[in-house]
Amino acid sequence: MKAISTTKAPAAIGPYSQAIQVGNLIYASGQIPIDPTTGSFVEGGIKEQTRQSLTNVNAILEEAGLTMGNVVKTTVFMADMNDFADMNAVYAEFFSEPYPARSAVAVKTLPKGALVEIEVVAEVA
């Protein structure tokens, strides 16, 4: 087991790693829309928050020498399922076919009041 960490994504705010590699799989912790340069949420709504969350995921993958093309599974947590279409439009900018498997669910609340949190599992080729 190997921890993966980068300053190009927000530091963990608890007792967890940004990502863990086990064998040929990388499990990235859920990323909320914190800009790592400011330590604050990006301004805007679900589109901006989705873009920042996925930018954070991408930074973690890059630290491991991977791209979004290595992602095999995502889980998207949203504070409001009414935001699904806008989240999905931005999400589509980060992935291409064959798309990773995905679950998308609405939850009561997310850390720090985020509108979205995204976690991924990626394969090391």
Coordinates of all heavy atoms in Angstrom, one line a residue, residues 10 13 31-45 48-49 52-53 56 110-117:
P10 N -6.2 20.0 -2.6 CA -6.3 20.3 -1.1 C -5.8 19.2 -0.2 O -5.9 18.0 -0.5 CB -7.8 20.4 -0.9 CG -8.4 20.6 -2.3 CD -7.5 19.9 -3.2
I13 N -8.3 16.9 5.2 CA -8.7 17.7 6.4 C -9.1 16.7 7.6 O -9.9 17.1 8.4 CB -9.9 18.6 6.1 CG1 -11.0 17.8 5.4 CG2 -9.5 19.7 5.1 CD1 -12.3 18.6 5.2
Q31 N -13.1 14.5 -3.5 CA -12.6 15.8 -3.6 C -13.7 16.8 -3.7 O -14.6 16.7 -4.5 CB -11.7 15.9 -4.9 CG -10.5 15.1 -4.8 CD -9.6 15.5 -3.7 OE1 -9.1 16.7 -3.6 NE2 -9.2 14.6 -2.8
I32 N -13.6 17.8 -2.8 CA -14.6 18.9 -2.8 C -13.9 20.1 -3.5 O -12.7 20.1 -3.7 CB -15.1 19.2 -1.3 CG1 -13.9 19.6 -0.4 CG2 -15.9 18.0 -0.8 CD1 -14.4 20.0 1.0
P33 N -14.7 21.1 -3.8 CA -14.3 22.2 -4.7 C -13.4 23.2 -4.0 O -13.6 24.4 -4.1 CB -15.5 22.8 -5.2 CG -16.5 22.5 -4.1 CD -16.2 21.2 -3.6
I34 N -12.4 22.8 -3.3 CA -11.4 23.7 -2.7 C -10.3 24.0 -3.6 O -9.7 23.1 -4.2 CB -10.9 23.2 -1.3 CG1 -12.0 23.1 -0.3 CG2 -9.7 24.0 -0.8 CD1 -11.6 22.5 1.0
D35 N -10.0 25.3 -3.9 CA -8.9 25.7 -4.7 C -7.6 25.5 -3.8 O -7.5 26.2 -2.7 CB -9.0 27.1 -5.1 CG -7.9 27.6 -6.0 OD1 -6.8 27.1 -5.9 OD2 -8.1 28.6 -6.7
P36 N -6.7 24.7 -4.1 CA -5.5 24.4 -3.2 C -4.6 25.7 -3.1 O -3.9 25.8 -2.1 CB -4.8 23.3 -3.9 CG -5.2 23.3 -5.3 CD -6.6 23.8 -5.3
T37 N -4.7 26.6 -4.0 CA -3.9 27.8 -3.9 C -4.4 28.8 -2.9 O -3.7 29.6 -2.3 CB -3.7 28.5 -5.3 OG1 -5.0 28.9 -5.8 CG2 -3.0 27.6 -6.3
T38 N -5.8 28.8 -2.7 CA -6.4 29.7 -1.7 C -6.9 29.0 -0.5 O -7.1 29.7 0.6 CB -7.6 30.4 -2.4 OG1 -8.6 29.5 -2.6 CG2 -7.2 31.2 -3.6
G39 N -7.1 27.7 -0.5 CA -7.7 27.0 0.6 C -9.2 27.2 0.8 O -9.8 26.9 1.8
S40 N -9.8 27.9 -0.2 CA -11.2 28.2 -0.1 C -12.0 27.6 -1.3 O -11.4 27.2 -2.3 CB -11.4 29.7 -0.2 OG -10.8 30.4 0.9
F41 N -13.3 27.5 -1.1 CA -14.1 27.1 -2.2 C -14.0 28.0 -3.4 O -13.8 29.2 -3.2 CB -15.6 27.1 -1.8 CG -16.1 25.9 -1.1 CD1 -17.3 25.8 -0.6 CD2 -15.3 24.8 -0.9 CE1 -17.8 24.7 0.1 CE2 -15.7 23.6 -0.3 CZ -17.0 23.6 0.3
V42 N -14.1 27.5 -4.6 CA -14.2 28.3 -5.8 C -15.5 29.1 -5.8 O -16.5 28.6 -5.2 CB -14.1 27.5 -7.1 CG1 -12.7 26.9 -7.2 CG2 -15.2 26.5 -7.2
E43 N -15.5 30.2 -6.4 CA -16.8 31.0 -6.4 C -17.7 30.4 -7.5 O -17.2 29.9 -8.5 CB -16.5 32.5 -6.7 CG -15.8 33.1 -5.5 CD -15.8 34.6 -5.6 OE1 -16.6 35.2 -6.4 OE2 -15.0 35.2 -4.9
G44 N -19.0 30.5 -7.3 CA -19.9 30.0 -8.3 C -20.8 28.9 -7.8 O -20.8 28.6 -6.6
G45 N -21.5 28.3 -8.7 CA -22.4 27.2 -8.4 C -21.9 25.8 -8.7 O -20.7 25.6 -8.6
E48 N -19.0 25.3 -11.4 CA -17.7 25.7 -11.0 C -17.1 24.8 -9.9 O -16.0 24.4 -9.9 CB -17.7 27.2 -10.4 CG -18.0 28.2 -11.5 CD -19.5 28.4 -11.9 OE1 -20.3 27.8 -11.2 OE2 -19.7 29.1 -12.8
Q49 N -18.0 24.3 -9.1 CA -17.6 23.4 -8.0 C -17.3 22.0 -8.6 O -16.3 21.4 -8.2 CB -18.7 23.3 -6.9 CG -18.8 24.5 -6.1 CD -19.4 24.3 -4.7 OE1 -19.6 23.1 -4.3 NE2 -19.8 25.4 -4.1
Q52 N -13.8 22.3 -10.3 CA -12.7 22.3 -9.3 C -12.5 21.0 -8.7 O -11.4 20.5 -8.5 CB -12.9 23.4 -8.2 CG -11.8 23.5 -7.3 CD -10.5 24.0 -8.0 OE1 -10.5 25.0 -8.6 NE2 -9.4 23.3 -7.8
S53 N -13.6 20.3 -8.3 CA -13.5 19.0 -7.7 C -12.7 18.0 -8.7 O -11.8 17.3 -8.3 CB -14.8 18.4 -7.4 OG -15.5 19.2 -6.4
N56 N -9.1 18.9 -9.0 CA -8.4 18.3 -7.8 C -8.1 16.8 -8.0 O -7.0 16.3 -7.7 CB -9.1 18.5 -6.5 CG -9.2 20.0 -6.2 OD1 -8.5 20.8 -6.7 ND2 -10.2 20.3 -5.3
L110 N -22.6 17.8 2.6 CA -21.3 17.5 2.3 C -20.3 18.3 3.1 O -20.7 19.3 3.7 CB -21.0 17.7 0.8 CG -21.7 16.7 -0.2 CD1 -21.7 17.3 -1.6 CD2 -21.1 15.4 -0.1
P111 N -19.1 17.9 3.2 CA -18.1 18.6 4.0 C -18.1 20.1 3.7 O -18.1 20.5 2.5 CB -16.8 18.0 3.7 CG -17.1 16.6 3.4 CD -18.4 16.7 2.6
K112 N -18.0 21.0 4.7 CA -17.9 22.4 4.5 C -19.0 23.0 3.7 O -18.9 24.1 3.2 CB -16.6 22.8 3.9 CG -15.4 22.4 4.8 CD -14.1 22.9 4.3 CE -13.0 22.5 5.2 NZ -12.3 23.7 5.7
G113 N -20.1 22.3 3.5 CA -21.3 22.8 2.7 C -21.1 22.8 1.2 O -21.8 23.5 0.5
A114 N -20.2 21.9 0.8 CA -20.0 21.8 -0.7 C -21.2 21.3 -1.4 O -22.1 20.7 -0.8 CB -18.8 20.8 -1.0
L115 N -21.3 21.7 -2.7 CA -22.5 21.2 -3.5 C -22.2 19.9 -4.1 O -23.1 19.2 -4.5 CB -22.8 22.2 -4.6 CG -23.2 23.6 -4.1 CD1 -23.4 24.6 -5.3 CD2 -24.4 23.6 -3.3
V116 N -20.9 19.5 -4.2 CA -20.5 18.3 -4.9 C -19.2 17.8 -4.3 O -18.3 18.5 -3.8 CB -20.3 18.5 -6.4 CG1 -19.2 19.5 -6.7 CG2 -20.2 17.2 -7.2
E117 N -19.0 16.4 -4.3 CA -17.8 15.8 -3.9 C -17.6 14.6 -4.8 O -18.6 13.9 -5.1 CB -17.9 15.3 -2.4 CG -16.6 14.5 -2.0 CD -16.6 14.1 -0.5 OE1 -17.6 14.5 0.2 OE2 -15.6 13.5 -0.1

